[in-house]
Amino acid sequence: MIRARGLERRFGETRALAGLDLDVPRGGFLSVAGPNGSGKSTLLALLAGLLAPTRGSLEVDADRAEIGYLAHEGLVYRELTAFENLELYGRLYRVPERRERIGMLLERHGLWDVRHRRVSAFSRGMAQRLALCRTLLHDPRLLLLDEPYSALDDAGARLLDAHLAELAGERTLVVATHDPARLRPLASAELVLA
Amino acid sequence: MTYLGDVAALARTSLLLELRSRDTVPALLLFVVSALVVFRFALPADASDLAAIGLLWIAVVFTAILALTRAFVAEREGRVLDGLVLTPCDRSAIWLGKALGVLAFLLVAEAIALPAFGLFFAPVDGATVAAFLLADLGIAAVGTLLAAIAAVSRARELLLPLLFLPLVIPVVVGGVGASVEPDPGRYLAFLGLYDGIFAILAWATFEYVVTE
């Protein structure tokens, strides 16, 4: 599913990622840990196709429609409501029966009652839940989650645990985290970036 | 139909965001009317209407820069542009949807600017209105592409006018020519040709602007 050899990414003089070899099979669950600035977010952006490698090779066996990417930012419009954002993304991702799918995700992530509220009025935790809904909306085959537990309260984190447990094995997951112990029961491999 | 549906959804989003925030259109209206007031006092009393027409085009070009500077603000916040680029929709649909939004804002600005010009100087004729409509198409097409280039760069406030002004010179040449020449046909045709060429170029190259 994912194969990288000698993967390197530079931003000017700064080397964000250096000589990484990586294999993630279909259905694999890779947990990516490391301190701030170790290249976790860069790796996920490379896998999503947002960045191109400076050196080395990278093969990702999934097209854009099959990738769900959760970034630090929500990738949603602040002045649209939660529902309007998901409606727009649902259309662009060609989600069948998207209103039902959107309703199910909002309900599950505890956002149904605030679906007509603008994102600018959301707390950070609510915005993160919405970002998760956007990432999962098109039922992607490959999930790239950059610190998905960030800003979630205990209930939100438990919900995400349950969601990841459902997806593990069925979908390919690459999850960057500062808390690899939390993912250890689910992860099939662990990568620690220095 | 899917492509046009995506374009419509993205253009509707641009208009909805403006309706909610009212960040751009009021600023454009204020700017273009203020510029015309300044020009009214700057021109000597015996200046010809031809000079005034030239200033009207300058006011509209600078108003367009203001509109284009704001064009991708909502997409920069929260990295929405990355989110849109990752969807499987044709990336040129993002450009076209945004260009239609910019076009709508320019049309609203000119709906106020042209009557205001008539009030301060002299009424504009049909050829001038046609020239503005054609110029708006070209400005929206090329300007939206340049606004996207600027949006993904660091010196965006500096870069946009530096890229836009040289490329909009043919629009000013065609627009002023259509406004002041007795036979505006060839100038209008020139503006139409500019629109066609730059719309195709922007449509074909947008993907390379927003991806590495």
Side-chain angles (χ1 to χ4, degrees), chain B residues 154-186:
Chain B
R154 276 178 299 166
R156 59 185 70 94
E157 292 84 3
L158 191 63
L159 196 59
L160 179 62
L162 287 179
L163 293 173
F164 179 71
L165 283 173
L167 283 172
V168 85
I169 288 171
V171 172
V172 174
V173 171
V176 172
S179 301
V180 302
E181 290 291 326
D183 175 21
R186 65 195 177 105

Side-chain angles (χ1 to χ4, degrees), chain B residues 42-66:
Chain B
L43 270 185
D46 57 349
S48 76
D49 287 346
L50 297 184
I53 279 283
L55 291 179
L56 173 64
W57 278 93
I58 290 172
V60 168
V61 165
F62 281 93
T63 304
I65 290 178
L66 199 60

